[in-house]
Amino acid sequence: MSKKLILAEKPSVGKDIAKNLKCTQIGNGYIEGKHYIITWALGHLVTLANPEDYDKKYSSWDLNELPMLPNPLKTVVIKQTAKQFQTIKKQMLRKDVNGIIIATDAGREGELVARWIIEKAKVKKTISRLWISSVTDKAIQEGFRNLKDGRQYEGLANSAKARAAADWYVGINATRALTTKFNAQLSCGRVQTPTLAMVAARENQIKNFQPKTYFMLIAETEKNSFQWMQEKTNQTQTFQEEKIDAILKKCQNQPLKITDVKTIVKKQQSPQLYDLTTLQQEANSRFNWSAKETLSILQRLYEHYKIVTYPRTDSQYLSQDIVPTLKERLEAVKTKETSKAITAIIKNGIYPSKHFVDNQKVTDHHAIIPTEEYVPMVSLSDKERKLYNMIITRFLQVLMPAFVYEETKILAQIGNESFQQTTKQTVQLGWKSLQTKQEEKQKKISFQIGDTIAVQTLKKKSNQTTPPPFFTEGTLLEAMENPTAFIQENDKQIKSILQKAGGIGTVATRADIIEKLFHSFLIEKKGNTIHTTQKGRQLLQLAPKDLTSPALTAAWEQQLTAISKNQKNINEFLEEIQQYTKSIVSEIKKSDATFRHDNITSTKCPSCGKLMLKVNHKKGTMLICQDRECNTRKTISHTTNARCPECKKKMELRGEGDGATFACVCGYREKRNHFIERRNKEKNSKASKQDVSRYLKNQNKEQEPLNNPFADFFNQFKSR
């Protein structure tokens, strides 16, 4: 009897599929049933070959050997997971297997995972595609009833291959050229370098900002206040102090006369459903989580608990086919806290408005919403519960009535100068009833046209314009999604391309890009805000200008989208990329600039004897060898999860061994051995010294890895 081979991306998904297809015979790296064999990748099992795999001369980094433009690019099996690849290959080549069902993540990178494995295994069998947005039993069963023809996704596969190849050509060559030319670890890429440039541009805006003082005039009556406004422009502020002074003098000791009262009933729809970027932004704003951390928590809610839909989505809308499932999803998230709202939603009926249901605005996946699965909240960790509650709340809000309020605009005059006051009165809370903080109700005061009111005080107020704030991870994600403000060229076409392409990077890769910038010590955190390092600022001066602009990567994404829709040939795109690679390598070679380390210490490297560099990473400070081939590092301090016994903030661990010291910003200090003793006592002697050592060892694992300039590039192929 012939069988189908199903290739999932991760073991957990493979096991869920096996359960639904009643496959129970467990093999080594696969599960078999009467009609199916289910196996799985571990993320990427196959990646693009290293330069030295083409020619041994590329083993040493040599500027004279650049650019490297092997064509075609070869793929290799990743050594660490080669055993699983061989398992998949063996199952795929079985004579009783007459077709393959790709069940990797439904997106560009998921398609690449599967296609590279199939091609590397040299399998020529019919391909079908399982395309689902959640991994619940219901979604899996529905997906298998509606399998797609694999040929429909050839364009998507080519787009993924083109993206990987382009990043290889440009990323490797630019990184090697910069690193060897300037003898420093300088990592460069088509997304990370423009992102770095945006952080630098924001810093320059702040540095060069010149505050201006503006003025307002406030008329205060017994019960409320009115604000002066310019009659022609309706502006309530002016930079002309002498103008405000003249009006103040002219209107002093005069009454205020009501000239118009207009009340309009207004409706405010709920915020839109989350896509990945907006969820990461809000989680950063609320909880100070990094984009990477939010995605990691979300992935667990999706894969392990199966209570949210596909995370890596760029849509904030649902498609029509999801509407019949909404009631069941509501029942799944019903708790003591949400019961009242859900009962009202079901009673009033679910109306799929264009505000959240629009087929035209759903690409590969719809917005992030709860699934039909129920999981008790006590099963979730604190962070999982917080993120899940955010998704539930937003899901309920779009199904609730609009927030309705009355806006009353009162116009008045003092002499011949205009003043105004605007008040709001809530009519219907609607979706706002789920907000933690509700707007305070203003006391309504009635006015009639012609009323004359005594002015108790008429006073001038001044304030200053403020610069834009430094980026946080949340606002940097927003800028990556909409970087048009950072395009120096006054080119509407480039800005249009950026908007159509959805910015730079993708929802699936932006968190990793930000992490790479931290790992390469090109940016650093000060509190919750992001700043360029001296190394990062120098890199922007040394890198080809094209690579620092969002316009380049936006143009690439536009072409990749065209490839995915079979509107552009992949080989034509790669020929253009190769020519571009030649031009940027030539530009770097001709440069007469120099790189200078400004963070050299007096500490010698224990491995090679060269002076070490002091760098800040996300969780502390370390020393690294300035020799790019040595790569020795030594921790100076790092933030731990250990809480200060006085102020409860996280403490830093400074130094090494038993002489190391825990230190808190409040001034508290504690030797490591005292810390161990105290923790043992707090746990009633249940925790041993080994327990605490294990705890500290785990803290060390939390430190950011220090890679050679190109290691991060290959990691994008090895992990999701």
Side-chain angles (χ1 to χ4, degrees):
M1 180 183 290
S2 61
K3 298 185 179 184
K4 300 287 185 185
L5 186 286
I6 300 170
L7 176 59
E9 189 160 337
K10 298 181 180 72
S12 59
V13 178
K15 290 171 184 175
D16 288 332
I17 292 172
K19 180 185 71 173
N20 279 279
L21 298 181
K22 296 181 171 53
C23 299
T24 57
Q25 185 180 338
I26 298 175
N28 189 8
Y30 66 95
I31 304 172
E32 190 165 353
K34 187 175 181 181
H35 302 290
Y36 299 99
I37 302 163
I38 297 101
T39 187
W40 45 81
L42 303 165
H44 280 279
L45 299 183
V46 176
T47 189
L48 290 175
N50 292 335
E52 51 268 28
D53 292 328
Y54 295 95
D55 195 318
K56 289 185 179 178
K57 68 181 180 181
Y58 294 142
S59 296
S60 60
W61 290 30
D62 186 345
L63 187 61
N64 295 320
E65 297 295 344
L66 302 177
M68 301 173 292
L69 299 170
N71 189 17
L73 291 174
K74 298 189 297 188
T75 56
V76 295
V77 177
I78 298 170
K79 290 181 180 179
Q80 294 91 326
T81 52
K83 183 179 178 182
Q84 183 61 15
F85 171 79
Q86 293 302 330
T87 295
I88 294 173
K89 179 179 178 180
K90 182 179 178 181
Q91 299 303 314
M92 282 184 172
L93 293 174
R94 279 173 44 169
K95 291 183 179 180
D96 61 340
V97 170
N98 68 350
I100 296 169
I101 300 173
I102 296 176
T104 48
D105 283 357
R108 189 166 75 184
E109 284 304 303
E111 198 69 24
L112 189 64
V113 168
R115 299 288 179 153
W116 270 352
I117 291 172
I118 293 169
E119 290 172 10
K120 197 66 181 174
K122 297 181 179 178
V123 176
K124 304 287 185 183
K125 296 182 179 180
T126 304
I127 294 176
S128 301
R129 191 49 159 113
L130 175 72
W131 194 271
I132 56 178
S133 291
S134 63
V135 288
T136 63
D137 292 348
K138 182 178 180 180
I140 290 171
Q141 291 163 15
E142 181 68 20
F144 272 96
R145 285 194 292 268
N146 294 280
L147 287 174
K148 311 294 183 183
D149 188 326
R151 289 173 294 186
Q152 294 180 28
Y153 298 90
E154 292 289 343
L156 184 65
N158 285 334
S159 171
K161 293 172 188 175
R163 193 276 309 158
D167 280 343
W168 195 100
Y169 285 130
V170 175
I172 285 184
N173 280 288
T175 294
R176 283 201 174 195
L178 287 166
T179 298
T180 52
K181 173 72 176 180
F182 302 108
N183 193 29
Q185 295 182 350
L186 298 174
S187 177
C188 193
R190 66 171 179 103
V191 180
Q192 70 178 54
T193 313
T195 303
L196 174 65
M198 289 195 294
V199 178
R202 175 57 58 85
E203 288 179 327
N204 287 334
Q205 284 178 320
I206 296 169
K207 180 181 177 182
N208 298 324
F209 183 81
Q210 297 292 327
K212 292 180 69 176
T213 303
Y214 60 90
F215 303 91
M216 300 163 286
L217 191 61
I218 309 297
E220 293 187 347
T221 65
E222 183 181 358
K223 295 182 178 179
N224 49 24
S225 61
F226 289 76
Q227 193 166 8
W228 168 83
M229 70 174 182
Q230 300 186 56
E231 193 168 351
K232 291 182 180 179
T233 64
N234 291 338
Q235 293 290 317
T236 59
Q237 303 163 356
T238 179
F239 292 109
Q240 302 173 40
E241 184 176 13
E242 66 278 5
K243 182 175 184 177
I244 288 291
D245 287 340
I247 295 170
L248 177 62
K249 184 178 181 181
K250 181 173 64 173
C251 297
Q252 197 71 263
N253 301 319
Q254 291 193 51
L256 182 144
K257 185 177 181 180
I258 305 299
T259 59
D260 195 16
V261 179
K262 290 181 180 177
T263 298
I264 303 173
V265 176
K266 291 189 174 183
K267 291 184 178 181
Q268 183 183 338
Q269 295 291 343
S270 70
Q272 289 185 296
L273 293 168
Y274 290 118
D275 61 7
L276 177 57
T277 301
T278 54
L279 186 62
Q280 288 170 319
Q281 289 171 13
E282 191 159 331
N284 178 259
S285 176
R286 284 197 196 185
F287 312 122
N288 197 21
W289 295 348
S290 70
K292 186 81 171 178
E293 183 177 15
T294 299
L295 178 55
S296 177
I297 297 166
L298 186 61
Q299 195 72 24
R300 186 163 172 79
L301 294 177
Y302 168 69
E303 283 183 9
H304 181 74
Y305 297 104
K306 304 175 185 56
I307 53 178
V308 300
T309 55
Y310 187 71
R312 293 175 171 87
T313 177
D314 60 358
S315 177
Q316 293 183 274
Y317 292 85
L318 304 178
S319 49
Q320 284 287 348
D321 61 313
I322 300 298
V323 175
T325 72
L326 295 181
K327 185 176 179 181
E328 192 173 353
R329 295 170 195 267
L330 285 169
E331 295 292 350
V333 298
K334 187 178 280 188
T335 63
K336 182 179 178 181
E337 291 75 20
T338 63
S339 180
K340 183 179 178 181
I342 290 172
T343 301
I345 291 170
I346 294 174
K347 180 181 178 182
N348 294 332
I350 297 171
Y351 300 99
S353 73
K354 280 282 187 179
H355 178 59
F356 67 97
V357 178
D358 191 337
N359 286 1
Q360 301 302 314
K361 295 181 179 179
V362 177
T363 50
D364 290 340
H365 296 282
H366 57 68
I368 300 169
I369 60 173
T371 67
E372 302 92 335
E373 291 285 311
Y374 168 75
V375 169
M377 286 291 186
V378 292
S379 303
L380 307 179
S381 69
D382 179 60
K383 289 184 176 180
E384 289 165 349
R385 189 160 50 249
K386 284 179 178 176
L387 196 64
Y388 187 42
N389 275 329
M390 282 175 61
I391 295 167
I392 290 173
T393 300
R394 186 61 57 87
F395 175 61
L396 296 182
Q397 285 177 333
V398 299
L399 297 173
M400 295 175 72
F403 168 63
V404 183
Y405 62 95
E406 284 183 352
E407 182 180 272
T408 301
K409 195 167 190 178
I410 304 153
L411 301 180
Q413 282 192 318
I414 300 179
N416 59 359
E417 292 294 331
S418 298
F419 287 75
Q420 71 168 7
Q421 178 199 90
T422 302
T423 62
K424 293 180 181 180
Q425 287 287 319
T426 297
V427 176
Q428 173 184 274
L429 271 175
W431 61 268
K432 281 201 173 189
S433 63
L434 291 183
Q435 288 187 327
T436 307
K437 294 181 180 179
Q438 296 178 7
E439 296 181 359
E440 291 184 10
K441 291 185 178 180
Q442 296 182 1
K443 188 176 181 181
K444 190 169 184 177
I445 301 173
S446 298
F447 291 96
Q448 299 293 327
I449 296 175
D451 286 353
T452 300
I453 305 167
V455 176
Q456 292 188 332
T457 58
L458 185 63
K459 56 186 178 182
K460 175 178 70 176
K461 285 190 175 181
S462 65
N463 212 332
Q464 284 193 322
T465 56
T466 57
F470 287 102
F471 279 123
T472 64
E473 283 202 46
T475 56
L476 183 55
L477 283 170
E478 185 177 6
M480 292 173 77
E481 186 174 51
N482 185 23
T484 53
F486 297 89
I487 296 291
Q488 292 182 353
E489 304 93 336
N490 188 22
D491 191 324
K492 292 182 179 179
Q493 185 179 3
I494 290 177
K495 293 184 177 182
S496 175
I497 290 171
L498 275 168
Q499 289 175 335
K500 289 178 182 177
I504 60 174
T506 66
V507 290
T509 61
R510 287 176 188 140
D512 283 334
I513 293 298
I514 294 173
E515 290 297 314
K516 286 174 188 174
L517 289 171
F518 281 118
H519 294 177
S520 302
F521 308 114
L522 299 172
I523 60 175
E524 62 185 358
K525 266 195 173 182
K526 294 178 181 178
N528 191 35
T529 58
I530 297 173
H531 304 258
T532 57
T533 62
Q534 210 272 344
K535 177 182 177 181
R537 292 188 290 275
Q538 285 192 82
L539 173 62
L540 291 174
Q541 295 300 314
L542 302 173
K545 293 305 174 189
D546 273 359
L547 276 178
T548 66
S549 170
L552 173 70
T553 188
W556 281 23
E557 286 297 339
Q558 186 185 44
Q559 294 188 71
L560 292 172
T561 299
I563 292 171
S564 71
K565 296 177 179 178
N566 298 311
Q567 296 169 352
K568 185 177 179 70
N569 183 276
I570 181 174
N571 294 323
E572 180 187 339
F573 172 74
L574 291 179
E575 285 175 12
E576 294 170 6
I577 293 298
Q578 290 171 16
Q579 290 302 315
Y580 176 72
T581 302
K582 289 178 183 178
S583 69
I584 61 172
V585 169
S586 175
E587 183 180 337
I588 293 169
K589 284 181 176 181
K590 292 175 183 176
S591 173
D592 57 2
T594 57
F595 181 88
R596 182 179 62 83
H597 291 296
D598 72 330
N599 53 347
I600 295 178
T601 68
S602 59
T603 304
K604 289 186 177 181
C605 173
S607 300
C608 70
K610 293 182 180 178
L611 295 179
M612 301 186 80
L613 308 174
K614 184 179 179 180
V615 297
N616 296 322
H617 59 93
K618 285 183 78 174
K619 295 186 178 179
T621 309
M622 66 170 63
L623 296 175
I624 63 171
C625 182
Q626 64 176 288
D627 190 323
R628 62 183 176 81
E629 294 183 354
C630 178
N631 206 28
T632 299
R633 64 173 177 167
K634 181 181 179 183
T635 298
I636 298 175
S637 68
H638 70 273
T639 304
T640 72
N641 285 329
R643 297 285 178 173
C644 171
E646 294 185 358
C647 73
K648 308 305 178 186
K649 292 181 179 177
K650 289 183 178 180
M651 297 190 291
E652 273 192 352
L653 182 60
R654 300 173 181 172
E656 297 179 328
D658 289 336
T661 302
F662 282 94
C664 181
V665 290
C666 74
Y668 179 81
R669 298 288 185 276
E670 185 176 25
K671 288 289 186 182
R672 174 175 169 153
N673 57 345
H674 293 155
F675 169 82
I676 292 172
E677 291 174 7
R678 180 169 61 81
R679 280 185 66 88
N680 285 340
K681 289 178 181 177
E682 288 174 356
K683 292 186 177 183
N684 298 320
S685 301
K686 289 181 181 178
S688 64
K689 187 172 182 178
Q690 288 77 14
D691 292 328
V692 181
S693 295
R694 195 178 301 114
Y695 165 81
L696 294 172
K697 186 177 179 181
N698 288 334
Q699 290 294 323
N700 289 331
K701 286 181 181 178
E702 290 184 1
Q703 295 181 59
E704 309 294 355
L706 177 65
N707 297 316
N708 64 48
F710 198 60
D712 280 337
F713 176 77
F714 282 107
N715 284 340
Q716 68 180 295
F717 299 117
K718 297 176 184 177
S719 62
R720 294 297 304 280

